Amino acid sequence: MMSSRAKTNQTGINHNEEDFMFLDGYRRDRGMVLAAWILIVCTAGIVGLVFYWRRDLYVKFTCHRIAVGQADVILLRDAYEDVFVSRVADLSSQKRFYRKPPAGSVIDHAPVIKPTAAELGSFEEVKSLKYFDCKRVRYLWNSDTEVYEKLTGIPDVPLSYFEVNQAGLNDLTRSQRLVLFGLNAIAIKVNSIPKILLKEGLTPFYAFQVFAIILWYYEPYTVYASVIVVISCLSLSAQVFETWRQQNALRKRVQDYDIVQIQRPDGTVLSVASETLVPGDIVIIPKSGAKVVCDAVLLSGHCIVNESSLTGESVPVSKVPVASSDKDQFFSVRSNNRSMLFCGTKVLQSRGVDDQPAKAMVVRTGFMTAKGELIRSIIFFRRIDFKFQNQTFWYIAALGVMAVIGMIYSLIILAPQKWATQYSDAQANNDTTALNQTLAEYKATHNMIYARVDEMITRTLDLVTIVVPPALPAALTVGIIFSQWRLQKLKIFCISPRTINMCGLLNMVCFDKTGTLTEDGLDLKSVLPSSSSSDGKEAKFHEVSSAESKISDSEDPMVRAMATCHSLSLMTVEEPELGLGDQSADLIGDPLDLIMFQFGHWKLTERTFPGFGNTIFRVVTSPFVGRRSVSRLPDEDIKQGLVIFREFPFASAFQRMGVIVFNSVAERFESFVKGSAEKVIPLCNKSSVPSDWASRLEEFSSKGNRVIALAWKPLTAENPFEANKIPRSDAERDLQFIGLVIFENRIKPDTPSVIEELYQANFRNVMLTGDNMYTAISVARTCGILRPQDNLCVVHADEESVRLEPVAAEAPEPSHEGKKLLLSHAPNGHTEAAVSTDVLGLTGDTLQLIRKFHPVFMSQVLLQGTVFARVSPLEKQFMVEQFQGAGYQVAMCGDGANDCGALRAAHAGISLSESEAAAAAPFTSTNPSIACVPHVLREGRCALVTFFGIFFLMATYSMTQFTAVLLLYWTGVTLTDWQFLYQDLFELTILAIVIAFALPYHQLTSAHPPSSLKSFQALFSLVGHVILILIAQIIAFKVVQTLPCDTSVVRALAGDDGGGMNGAGTTLGNGCERYATFVVGILQIVFLSFIFAAGPPFRRPFYTNYIHVAVALGMIAFDLTCMLGPTYGILSMFGMSVVDQSAFGSRFIFLGIALGYLVAAVFFDRVIVQILVAKALDRPSFKRWRDIRRSDVEDALRQKVRRNYTTQNLTYRNLAFSAEAEHVDERLERPVDRSNGTTLQNGGRY
């Protein structure tokens, strides 16, 4: 029983994946569904709106929680608190397609199938199969393990699977798999404009707008409400059209249908629609090429594929059939990348075998493909700015509390009890005059607004629209819009505008190396062949420079290796200018392979070779053989050459590639291997490797060169059949070391200046590269990621310990004695100094060992790790997530699909490639230079402080108007329609827009931009400004009551009996209170726009924003006119009385109040907040009250490292955390692996 319960208690799906989600099971309760609808009807749809906004609340209200296996509703929540609701269905009765499948593709009443766990890649028939769809992915119920599992297509099967399943699928099997996997289409649903309009109109922002507009029409504020209606309609229309346009553009970009040919079990070929392809189909690839509409594995033949849409590489790549010689090896997309045809790419040409066309097996379809995953990441993007949204909602809730307090106040003030009290007092005192006056006032005001309770309610509800400005959400996006527009002018495009604000918080930038910091192209600098001495006991290097272009000895293994160990192919190119039907063949492939091949001036042809049947091979011929065209080779030349018989594609896990070559001169098969020296040399016989190989490798790597090692051995195979059966592991064992090939990789011209600017602005710069460690170190020193004062240590690890190898800044002389490190004791001060100054470099292999055996050391890696070499794409993503988990705000800059995971994981990914893979990054620069990084950071800081400025302007404005209305309620009056309109539309809205015109500061600085609306400094500033506003308003309100008031204009407009709310004056006021609060309030708004228009060091000075200055000066001029010399038109429009001029200078009193407020507000903001409070928060004792900074993150990491060393009483320099000592402090917090949301397990002895 317990076992069964444990199985059904599934809490999450997609474990160890980026798309991990928590899930809960629910079953619908019909009674609660009925109750929900009754609530919706009784509340006029308000509860329905809440359920629409929070679908999880609807599920929890109408359903009861139950085991996942028994649920009919699944509630899912991802790591970013996004909620998804999915209905469970049975595939035998409910077949879900995004649209109706083509006629005849689905056979009715065919048995349902599901993947078989016992045999990978096979399927079995079942009576029923529960499933649900979420985020375009299907999850199937596994009745054996009682959990939902993701449906992924053909799983990671043994390579032999592709050899025994090449016949194709029959119609019944294809129909069953089509029902299971769905149509092969990346379907982007384009909603109709009315549906988008309804969806956008039901958002909380527009729902609140509708509420406010109805209230304003009822009060009535007809003009103001009408203007807001027009603005809201225009804004909503633009938003709806933009959403519709983006949906159409995305659908056109990804929609790709075609007619393809598939092979049937009887050997015939059938043409079908590409959307009916299913995993397991055998696709025929035309010789002239075709679009790839699914992910498929090449089974036979060769293809030349343009993958620029996915990788950004403009050079076509050669694809080879999947090798099945290693029966026990399992297929994976990552390790068998050279055999994969990816959806969205284009086959330029193909070549079959034995007069048969090239064939491929479909393994992924639809959103399961690599392209589908990318589109999913765009559709379901990460909400990285949710912190700002939460803080904004927190502020709005706080303002809402203020509104409730104001509503209670207004109900008390507006209630007619005060007249009843006055009447009772007058009656008790027999004061006939007071009695008559009270009755008259009560009658007048009662008839005006107090006779009906609903009018009191409208006045109190009006306070909600004042305290929470309806235009607040729209105003906060203004800065983002202008920053995005400026970035587009710099050819930097952003698909996630909300990410721009996050860029203002960044404090770390991770860089790829090749193509990002350095140029894409390589130059062959020199060749170092290895040759044995005369006695055959010692191998030595001798150098061949790039100028020695002719190598005379074609029997030299170095020459043959450079000529054959590559993935180059010939691509036929039509050349009409040469004549009708004329063609030429161009070499295509990896640029490094091309440079190395051209070094020896060899010639590559594609043809059959005598003794090898009709199969076409790549044949390399010596430059000393006559240079004739392939079509006219004489008989004596046909049998000469090196036949590239088999190719073992490059794999990042192996960091090498290999080929099996038939040497026609020696009449034998030979194996050649090329790759990183660290991976190739361990495969070689030690006697063939020069003793100084490590020092020569570091000599060239330390100068920033890329070093490739070559090795070979003759094979014992006597014929093609035997050679075709040799496993890769045998072909790459007991090799003879040939030598090194050195390539020069130049740094881009603007790289050092950009890195220096980031360093001066206190950004932490980190390199993540797949290149050699010492090459990475050299590039890092040259470009400035490693500073001259940095003490660099390379980290080495094994299962027992972690060791640190110091590396000299210049001319490194590494130790070759096993890196002996002494264990010693030292005071904590030494540890602190070392932790503060040293930086670390480590490889991907070392990183994996630390994760598995020494997770405590990860804190030190996160604190001091600067150069990460030989890291895979997944390891890049892992490090980005680890830095984020430590508290850093991380940007990632890369140029290709290898960086795609890290680009998506970072807070801000900046891609230097326009490929579809890199397009998943928020930012894409068409200029392949890291010069775009400072632009993005400056615009991010500018947008962020603009966000804060506009938010504080809106918040303080609302409190200004809120205070004025509450004061006016005391006298029985309120602001008029036109006064609200002028303050809200003509002042606040315009000022909020023009503030955003300010340009970013011309350089990055080390100052910290504000990062939290809930920080002490932000709260102190807001509360202080509100208090100053309140003081100025109260002073103006009290002062005006002591001055004579001219109410002639208002009385003329309202009639002789006008009074009360019309401002003609009562016993509670003289009628000019509206004038005083209004003229002071409108000047306060303009003054606040300058105070919150932050200048250096994040934006340029406010006076350089000429539009803001001009608009504000115009407003001040009009405001002063309203204050000092209002005309009849102004008074009649605003419906207000004015202070009588009989008292000399009486109106200038309010100008003095406004100017006094200005002086006090500027002093408070510039001196108290930005200097005194800021300096106080810089003290360690107040660190918890301020925004989190990079120094705070590193102090926390440093303290954790210091605790490690203090506990073990060991020095930083010489220790290395040993397995014997690491278990001492078990209280240390373990790092979190954010890729799966779980804590890393200790492993080993932990």
Side-chain angles (χ1 to χ4, degrees):
M1 179 67 68
M2 290 181 64
S3 175
S4 175
R5 183 176 182 180
K7 286 183 179 180
T8 57
N9 191 24
Q10 184 181 7
T11 59
I13 54 176
N14 304 330
H15 292 280
N16 303 322
E17 296 183 24
E18 183 181 356
D19 199 20
F20 172 80
M21 290 187 288
F22 299 96
L23 84 165
D24 294 306
Y26 290 86
R27 175 167 289 178
R28 297 186 69 190
D29 187 322
R30 294 183 178 180
M32 295 306 297
V33 172
L34 179 61
W37 280 103
I38 293 174
L39 275 177
I40 292 172
V41 173
C42 293
T43 58
I46 295 177
V47 172
L49 276 177
V50 174
F51 285 157
Y52 177 78
W53 298 331
R54 292 286 306 274
R55 297 183 63 192
D56 56 324
L57 294 182
Y58 177 76
V59 170
K60 293 176 181 179
F61 186 85
T62 59
C63 306
H64 60 270
R65 193 169 179 178
I66 198 171
V68 173
Q70 303 172 8
D72 55 12
V73 177
I74 300 295
L75 183 65
L76 302 105
R77 186 181 75 257
D78 63 16
Y80 307 100
E81 301 300 324
D82 285 331
V83 175
F84 303 89
V85 177
S86 298
R87 297 293 301 272
V88 177
D90 191 329
L91 200 62
S92 61
S93 58
Q94 298 183 37
K95 301 176 176 62
R96 293 177 181 170
F97 296 100
Y98 79 97
R99 69 171 185 172
K100 186 177 181 180
S105 59
V106 176
I107 299 176
D108 294 334
H109 309 297
V112 176
I113 60 172
K114 74 169 186 177
T116 304
E119 184 178 354
L120 294 176
S122 62
F123 299 84
E124 61 181 356
E125 295 183 357
V126 292
K127 293 183 179 179
S128 63
L129 180 61
K130 292 191 297 183
Y131 74 98
F132 69 87
D133 298 325
C134 181
K135 297 171 69 171
R136 307 293 199 275
V137 175
R138 179 160 292 180
Y139 298 88
L140 305 179
W141 176 251
N142 188 328
S143 57
D144 297 327
T145 60
E146 297 191 2
V147 294
Y148 280 101
E149 297 175 347
K150 181 190 289 188
L151 183 64
T152 58
I154 300 297
D156 292 347
V157 295
L159 292 179
S160 57
Y161 175 89
F162 299 103
E163 185 177 0
V164 299
N165 290 276
Q166 298 190 11
L169 305 177
N170 57 39
D171 291 341
L172 175 61
T173 302
R174 295 190 72 250
S175 172
Q176 291 174 319
R177 295 192 183 185
L178 188 62
V179 171
L180 177 65
F181 291 100
L183 293 175
N184 174 39
I186 303 175
I188 304 298
K189 185 178 181 180
V190 178
N191 294 319
S192 63
I193 289 182
K195 189 171 183 178
I196 299 175
L197 180 63
L198 180 63
K199 184 177 180 180
E200 295 292 341
L202 291 179
T203 58
F205 166 61
Y206 284 110
F208 184 69
Q209 286 277 47
V210 171
F211 162 75
I213 290 171
I214 294 173
L215 181 64
W216 293 331
Y217 271 121
Y218 185 77
E219 285 187 291
Y221 291 141
T222 308
V223 177
Y224 180 68
S226 300
V227 172
I228 297 299
V229 166
V230 173
I231 294 176
S232 298
C233 289
L234 292 176
S235 174
L236 183 60
S237 300
Q239 191 171 350
V240 168
F241 175 77
E242 182 63 19
T243 301
W244 179 82
R245 188 189 65 81
Q246 290 180 356
Q247 289 180 355
N248 270 284
L250 184 59
R251 183 175 68 173
K252 290 179 181 178
R253 181 175 182 177
V254 304
Q255 187 171 341
D256 204 359
Y257 301 111
D258 203 355
I259 300 298
V260 297
Q261 292 185 322
I262 60 172
Q263 178 179 293
R264 298 167 62 88
D266 58 4
T268 60
V269 176
L270 178 67
S271 295
V272 298
S274 62
E275 60 183 345
T276 65
L277 289 177
V278 296
D281 270 334
I282 305 301
V283 180
I284 307 299
I285 304 174
K287 292 183 178 180
S288 58
K291 294 181 294 184
V292 183
V293 293
C294 60
D295 283 357
V297 176
L298 189 61
L299 300 178
S300 63
H302 290 74
C303 295
I304 297 175
V305 183
N306 182 355
E307 293 186 338
S308 60
S309 63
L310 287 181
T311 65
E313 300 290 343
S314 59
V315 179
V317 296
S318 176
K319 297 292 183 177
V320 298
V322 63
S324 59
S325 56
D326 297 330
K327 301 296 184 181
D328 297 331
Q329 183 179 348
F330 277 77
F331 165 80
S332 71
V333 174
R334 182 182 177 190
S335 60
N336 298 95
N337 182 68
R338 280 294 309 282
S339 301
M340 286 294 302
L341 304 177
F342 292 104
C343 180
T345 62
K346 182 176 177 61
V347 176
L348 301 179
Q349 66 182 44
S350 69
R351 184 184 68 245
V353 179
D354 297 331
D355 296 328
Q356 294 292 320
K359 300 177 183 179
M361 177 186 288
V362 178
V363 293
R364 310 273 195 275
T365 58
F367 281 99
M368 297 179 290
T369 63
K371 181 178 179 180
E373 289 289 340
L374 292 173
I375 301 304
R376 285 182 62 240
S377 68
I378 294 175
I379 298 174
F380 304 101
F381 59 89
R382 295 175 55 198
R383 293 192 303 111
I384 62 173
D385 64 338
F386 63 92
K387 182 180 75 170
F388 285 125
Q389 289 188 355
N390 292 341
Q391 292 176 357
T392 303
F393 293 150
W394 182 87
Y395 259 99
I396 292 176
L399 293 175
V401 172
M402 294 292 296
V404 172
I405 296 174
M407 291 170 64
I408 297 173
Y409 164 86
S410 62
L411 287 173
I412 296 174
I413 293 300
L414 297 178
Q417 293 179 358
K418 51 180 171 288
W419 283 275
T421 302
Q422 294 176 10
Y423 181 83
S424 299
D425 293 341
Q427 191 175 34
N429 298 327
N430 293 321
D431 189 344
T432 306
T433 304
L435 184 64
N436 293 333
Q437 183 178 358
T438 300
L439 288 173
E441 288 184 5
Y442 172 74
K443 182 179 179 180
T445 54
H446 187 276
N447 291 335
M448 305 279 315
I449 66 169
Y450 303 123
R452 291 163 32 197
V453 176
D454 59 340
E455 292 196 16
M456 292 171 51
I457 296 176
T458 59
R459 295 299 178 189
T460 55
L461 291 177
D462 194 33
L463 293 175
V464 178
T465 65
I466 294 174
V467 173
V468 185
L472 178 61
L476 296 180
T477 63
V478 174
I480 296 175
I481 294 173
F482 283 106
S483 290
Q484 184 181 16
W485 175 67
R486 288 191 293 264
L487 287 172
Q488 288 179 352
K489 293 178 65 177
L490 297 171
K491 303 300 181 182
I492 302 171
F493 300 95
C494 179
I495 64 171
S496 178
R498 296 159 73 179
T499 310
I500 296 177
N501 272 351
M502 288 299 300
C503 293
L505 302 178
L506 299 175
N507 50 34
M508 170 185 280
V509 185
C510 298
F511 293 97
D512 176 40
K513 183 183 75 69
T514 306
T516 302
L517 300 174
T518 62
E519 300 284 0
D520 281 320
L522 296 170
D523 292 332
L524 196 152
K525 185 176 182 179
S526 61
V527 178
L528 264 70
S530 172
S531 59
S532 301
S533 61
S534 58
D535 57 9
K537 294 183 179 180
E538 183 182 1
K540 296 182 178 179
F541 285 113
H542 70 274
E543 186 170 350
V544 178
S545 68
S546 59
E548 300 179 41
S549 59
K550 293 184 179 180
I551 302 178
S552 58
D553 187 4
S554 62
E555 287 301 303
D556 188 343
M558 182 66 145
V559 178
R560 300 200 304 278
M562 295 178 67
T564 60
C565 196
H566 54 71
S567 58
L568 300 177
S569 298
L570 287 175
M571 185 175 69
T572 303
V573 180
E574 300 285 347
E575 295 189 355
E577 65 275 7
L578 299 180
L580 184 63
D582 287 343
Q583 297 178 336
S584 64
D586 291 343
L587 275 174
I588 59 100
D590 187 273
L592 184 146
D593 289 344
L594 191 60
I595 293 170
M596 192 167 63
F597 178 79
Q598 293 174 339
F599 177 75
H601 296 280
W602 286 64
K603 182 177 182 181
L604 179 69
T605 59
E606 293 183 347
R607 57 185 173 89
T608 59
F609 198 83
F612 286 72
N614 296 326
T615 303
I616 297 178
F617 295 97
R618 291 175 295 160
V619 181
V620 178
T621 55
S622 169
F624 303 105
V625 176
R627 299 179 180 274
R628 304 179 178 92
S629 66
V630 177
S631 60
R632 293 178 295 175
L633 283 174
D635 294 340
E636 61 272 16
D637 290 346
I638 291 179
K639 296 182 180 181
Q640 297 185 18
L642 303 173
V643 181
I644 303 176
F645 183 74
R646 286 179 63 192
E647 178 183 340
F648 302 111
F650 174 84
S652 57
F654 299 146
Q655 296 182 18
R656 64 180 184 270
M657 69 160 293
V659 292
I660 293 179
V661 174
F662 177 73
N663 187 335
S664 61
V665 176
E667 296 186 350
R668 69 186 178 197
F669 287 92
E670 299 171 341
S671 173
F672 293 95
V673 177
K674 175 189 70 178
S676 68
E678 299 93 331
K679 296 296 184 181
V680 172
I681 289 179
L683 302 175
C684 300
N685 294 324
K686 293 183 178 180
S687 60
S688 67
V689 181
S691 59
D692 62 341
W693 73 269
S695 61
R696 299 305 299 270
L697 173 63
E698 293 179 9
E699 174 189 347
F700 288 104
S701 297
S702 62
K703 297 177 182 178
N705 298 313
R706 187 172 181 182
V707 182
I708 300 297
L710 299 173
W712 84 294
K713 75 172 182 179
L715 300 175
T716 57
E718 297 182 355
N719 55 61
F721 179 80
E722 292 181 1
N724 196 45
K725 296 299 181 180
I726 298 176
R728 179 171 186 170
S729 57
D730 291 344
E732 297 179 349
R733 180 190 307 159
D734 298 326
L735 301 171
Q736 298 294 314
F737 180 69
I738 299 176
L740 303 175
V741 183
I742 294 89
F743 296 88
E744 184 179 15
N745 196 191
R746 298 179 302 277
I747 292 179
K748 293 181 179 179
D750 49 8
T751 295
S753 60
V754 172
I755 298 298
E756 180 64 24
E757 182 178 1
L758 295 177
Y759 173 78
Q760 294 297 332
N762 198 31
F763 282 85
R764 180 177 172 187
N765 300 309
V766 172
M767 179 188 292
L768 302 172
T769 178
D771 213 334
N772 173 273
M773 170 59 73
Y774 291 97
T775 301
I777 291 173
S778 175
V779 173
R781 289 197 185 280
T782 304
C783 70
I785 290 179
L786 287 176
R787 312 300 298 180
Q789 68 272 18
D790 287 342
N791 300 317
L792 176 66
C793 292
V794 175
V795 183
H796 302 273
D798 54 31
E799 295 183 7
E800 298 299 326
S801 64
V802 179
R803 303 179 302 280
L804 307 176
E805 175 196 4
V807 177
E810 298 293 340
E813 297 180 2
S815 169
H816 305 293
E817 300 179 358
K819 303 179 181 66
K820 295 180 180 179
L821 298 172
L822 301 177
L823 193 65
S824 60
H825 299 275
N828 295 339
H830 292 187
T831 299
E832 183 174 354
V835 171
S836 301
T837 59
D838 287 10
V839 295
L840 303 178
L842 61 160
T843 63
D845 291 340
T846 301
L847 180 64
Q848 294 300 334
L849 288 168
I850 290 174
R851 287 184 62 188
K852 185 174 182 180
F853 298 103
H854 313 283
V856 176
F857 193 74
M858 278 302 298
S859 298
Q860 195 158 333
V861 171
L862 296 175
L863 174 65
Q864 299 166 265
T866 302
V867 177
F868 296 82
R870 296 296 188 202
V871 288
S872 66
L874 289 178
E875 289 164 344
K876 291 182 180 181
Q877 179 178 344
F878 169 76
M879 283 311 305
V880 168
E881 292 172 342
Q882 288 296 298
F883 284 128
Q884 291 174 322
Y888 286 102
Q889 304 294 320
V890 185
M892 174 68 195
C893 183
D895 71 321
N898 287 339
D899 308 312
C900 185
L903 289 171
R904 291 202 306 266
H907 291 108
I910 305 173
S911 171
L912 305 184
S913 168
E914 298 183 70
S915 65
E916 287 187 6
F923 297 95
T924 301
S925 173
T926 57
N927 178 22
S929 166
I930 66 170
C932 64
V933 174
H935 289 303
V936 172
L937 297 178
R938 286 197 294 267
E939 288 292 352
R941 290 184 168 191
C942 179
L944 182 62
V945 296
T946 300
F947 170 88
F948 275 86
I950 294 177
F951 182 86
F952 285 142
L953 176 63
M954 300 286 283
T956 51
Y957 148 78
S958 64
M959 294 309 299
T960 300
Q961 199 174 79
F962 178 71
T963 303
V965 171
L966 290 183
L967 290 173
L968 292 176
Y969 278 1
W970 184 266
T971 64
V973 299
T974 187
L975 295 176
T976 64
D977 193 358
W978 279 97
Q979 284 177 325
F980 277 122
L981 184 65
Y982 177 74
Q983 285 186 338
D984 290 357
L985 184 64
F986 292 100
E987 278 211 343
L988 181 68
T989 304
I990 293 176
L991 288 173
I993 293 174
V994 298
I995 284 177
F997 276 94
L999 299 176
Y1001 200 53
H1002 57 82
Q1003 67 179 14
L1004 293 171
T1005 67
S1006 59
H1008 305 282
S1011 61
S1012 174
L1013 291 169
K1014 296 169 64 175
S1015 66
F1016 176 81
Q1017 188 169 355
L1019 291 172
F1020 182 79
S1021 174
L1022 181 61
V1023 172
H1025 280 292
V1026 169
I1027 292 175
L1028 292 176
I1029 290 170
L1030 183 62
I1031 292 173
Q1033 289 279 352
I1034 292 176
I1035 292 174
F1037 181 80
K1038 287 298 183 180
V1039 168
V1040 77
Q1041 291 183 326
T1042 65
L1043 299 174
C1045 182
D1046 181 6
T1047 62
S1048 57
V1049 175
V1050 175
R1051 290 187 179 276
L1053 293 173
D1056 291 339
D1057 58 343
M1061 293 297 291
N1062 292 323
T1066 68
T1067 58
L1068 300 177
N1070 62 2
C1072 284
E1073 290 84 3
R1074 183 184 292 165
Y1075 160 82
T1077 55
F1078 175 71
V1079 295
V1080 173
I1082 56 180
L1083 280 175
Q1084 285 177 323
I1085 296 172
V1086 181
F1087 294 158
L1088 286 170
S1089 73
F1090 285 115
I1091 292 173
F1092 292 129
F1098 309 118
R1099 306 198 319 169
R1100 297 186 186 180
F1102 74 90
Y1103 53 79
T1104 62
N1105 186 352
Y1106 304 118
I1107 298 178
H1108 181 195
V1109 173
V1111 169
L1113 290 177
M1115 291 180 179
I1116 290 174
F1118 180 79
D1119 295 347
L1120 290 177
T1121 302
C1122 294
M1123 176 186 288
L1124 302 178
T1127 63
Y1128 178 84
I1130 293 176
L1131 294 175
S1132 60
M1133 178 179 67
F1134 290 135
M1136 65 181 182
S1137 302
V1138 65
V1139 173
D1140 197 339
Q1141 293 184 352
S1142 59
F1144 178 77
S1146 57
R1147 297 179 186 176
F1148 284 92
I1149 296 176
F1150 301 100
L1151 177 60
I1153 294 173
L1155 294 178
Y1157 163 79
L1158 174 62
V1159 173
V1162 171
F1163 177 81
F1164 173 76
D1165 187 78
R1166 296 296 188 265
V1167 178
I1168 297 179
V1169 175
Q1170 297 187 21
I1171 297 179
L1172 299 180
V1173 174
K1175 285 185 176 181
L1177 292 176
D1178 285 336
R1179 299 176 183 175
S1181 56
F1182 292 99
K1183 183 165 60 176
R1184 68 178 62 184
W1185 298 94
R1186 70 188 185 202
D1187 296 333
I1188 296 178
R1189 305 172 182 174
R1190 173 190 166 186
S1191 59
D1192 299 330
V1193 175
E1194 293 178 348
D1195 285 344
L1197 289 172
R1198 191 173 291 110
Q1199 185 63 30
K1200 186 180 295 186
V1201 174
R1202 191 179 296 115
R1203 287 202 306 268
N1204 296 344
Y1205 285 103
T1206 301
T1207 302
Q1208 299 162 24
N1209 198 24
L1210 300 170
T1211 62
Y1212 166 83
R1213 171 66 64 190
N1214 296 324
L1215 168 67
F1217 274 118
S1218 63
E1220 288 77 10
E1222 286 177 7
H1223 70 279
V1224 172
D1225 190 1
E1226 296 179 352
R1227 298 169 300 170
L1228 294 177
E1229 180 183 352
R1230 295 169 184 165
V1232 174
D1233 182 358
R1234 292 188 62 192
S1235 63
N1236 58 18
T1238 59
T1239 302
L1240 290 173
Q1241 298 301 315
N1242 285 331
R1245 301 187 184 182
Y1246 296 102

